Amino acid sequence: MDPGAFCAQARLLIVAGKGGVGKTTVTAALARLAARTGRDALIIDVEGKSGLGNIFGHLEPLTYQEAVLAESGGPDSGEIRARTLTPDDALLEYLVDHGMNRISKRLASSGALDVVATAAPGIKDILVLGKVKQLERASVAGAPGAADLLVLDAPAAGHAFTFLASARALLDAVTVGPIRAQAAEVLEMLSDPGRCQVMLVTLPEETPVNEVVETAFKLEDQAGVHLTPVVVNGLYPVHDLDIDPAVAATAARVPLTEAEVASLRRAATFRMHRQELQTDQTDRLAQALPLSQLHLPFLFTTELGAAEIDLLADALEAEIAKLPDLAPLNLPEDAGAEAGAGAESEAAGAGSGADNPQPAEPG
């Protein structure tokens, strides 16, 4: 599959996975890959503590306003931007944009904002997802400044499921009103593979594989989202280590002490065990989960920067190239026109496009 076609499957790509599997790093690599295909990418951080900016050398904390992490390198490359989305900021923006600036300031200063945002289970997540929906619609409509691809770094572990299932839960809890309408629109976006897809990230280890399999089936069955190929992160390169270090040293005419030979044998044993483990776990994942896999290498470094993200983007591009071309989605003939018209209507009056889209309806 062409990497450009992969990045064009949906306007919103949500990256989810257990804490510690590298989902934030994969988010950054996806944004880099999208930029290479000529698309402007917007990374959305919903937790405010991912360190995404530092990866690209942006030392200031990300805020609700978009920040440029990597500028376009030319006419064939896109820009990478990032922002945080929090329910508090989304609600405050809604109040300000509807002429309730004084109320918003009182809520913020009194601490009552949290009470308003938690009036119903899942409403905080809907505030964030409603804002994401507005950005996605602005992207489809081609609003000035709108990104071509939104890459959302989802909450870790179990919260990712409740985050994505919040719309369906609110539909069950709220029967009428703007909150229900907003939840219905968010659910429509999440369940449409032409608008939104979810990429799960795991490691080639027993517990992460168990959890990603369970999460995948829960998301498809209960949240109704479409899953991309799963990313298996942190794979060691495979080497033939069957030869004994002492024999190899003699053949290469390299003198080694007994202590050095013993150390090399221990290292080889560890490496072979790791190779066997990751092979067993990727095979087990393939049997348990009917999704293609994208393998990313383990990076032998404690610091991640732009160079490391480029390496992962290279690996991701090579893995995507192995995938078969995707068959076009079977949409009704007028579905595209209706989606475009709806997006243009929703993005109208957004001022500067993605920097100031229409606010989510929190009710």
Side-chain angles (χ1 to χ4, degrees), residues 73-91:
D76 296 327
S77 66
E79 186 178 63
I80 301 175
R81 305 192 298 268
R83 68 184 297 176
T84 58
L85 285 185
T86 66
D88 291 357
D89 287 330
L91 181 57

Side-chain angles (χ1 to χ4, degrees), residues 128-182:
V128 172
L129 287 169
K131 185 71 175 181
V132 172
K133 174 184 67 81
Q134 295 293 341
L135 293 171
E136 184 263 344
R137 292 288 78 189
S139 175
V140 172
D148 301 303
L149 178 66
L150 311 176
V151 188
L152 191 151
D153 186 13
H159 188 198
F161 172 74
T162 57
F163 177 73
L164 295 172
S166 59
R168 194 178 296 274
L170 271 177
L171 283 178
D172 294 336
V174 182
T175 57
V176 295
I179 291 179
R180 180 179 176 82
Q182 181 71 288

Side-chain angles (χ1 to χ4, degrees), residues 36 99 101 142 168 179 279 295 318 326 333 349:
R36 289 181 181 179
N101 190 40
R168 194 178 296 274
I179 291 179
T279 298
H295 291 177
L326 212 63
E333 292 183 3

Side-chain angles (χ1 to χ4, degrees), residues 50 129 159 290 302 336 340 355 357:
S50 66
L129 287 169
H159 188 198
T302 57
D355 290 334

Side-chain angles (χ1 to χ4, degrees), residues 133-322:
K133 174 184 67 81
Q134 295 293 341
L135 293 171
E136 184 263 344
R137 292 288 78 189
S139 175
V140 172
D148 301 303
L149 178 66
L150 311 176
V151 188
L152 191 151
D153 186 13
H159 188 198
F161 172 74
T162 57
F163 177 73
L164 295 172
S166 59
R168 194 178 296 274
L170 271 177
L171 283 178
D172 294 336
V174 182
T175 57
V176 295
I179 291 179
R180 180 179 176 82
Q182 181 71 288
E185 292 177 5
V186 167
L187 181 60
E188 182 182 0
M189 175 188 70
L190 294 177
S191 59
D192 183 349
R195 298 175 63 185
C196 173
Q197 298 189 20
V198 176
M199 174 178 281
L200 294 175
V201 183
T202 189
L203 295 175
E205 300 170 8
E206 183 175 1
T207 299
V209 166
N210 290 342
E211 293 190 0
V212 80
V213 171
E214 180 184 357
T215 300
F217 284 108
K218 282 182 68 176
L219 286 175
E220 282 199 327
D221 295 343
Q222 299 179 38
V225 300
H226 179 83
L227 300 177
T228 72
V230 60
V231 171
V232 184
N233 194 25
L235 286 158
Y236 278 44
V238 177
H239 298 296
D240 183 5
L241 301 173
D242 289 338
I243 187 171
D244 186 79
V247 175
T250 300
R253 297 181 180 179
V254 176
L256 292 178
T257 66
E258 290 186 5
E260 289 172 332
V261 170
S263 295
L264 286 171
R265 284 173 178 160
R266 288 194 297 271
T269 299
F270 168 81
R271 193 61 175 267
M272 287 189 290
H273 174 71
R274 173 70 188 191
Q275 290 177 184
E276 292 172 1
L277 171 67
Q278 67 185 31
T279 298
D280 291 344
Q281 293 304 321
T282 52
D283 289 346
R284 190 167 70 88
L285 177 61
Q287 294 172 4
L289 194 60
L291 292 174
S292 300
Q293 297 179 19
L294 302 174
H295 291 177
L296 296 185
F298 183 91
L299 298 181
F300 294 88
T301 179
T302 57
E303 299 291 334
L304 286 179
E308 288 73 28
I309 296 304
D310 281 336
L311 288 174
L312 291 175
D314 290 341
L316 196 57
E317 183 174 357
E319 288 291 291
I320 290 172
K322 299 175 186 177

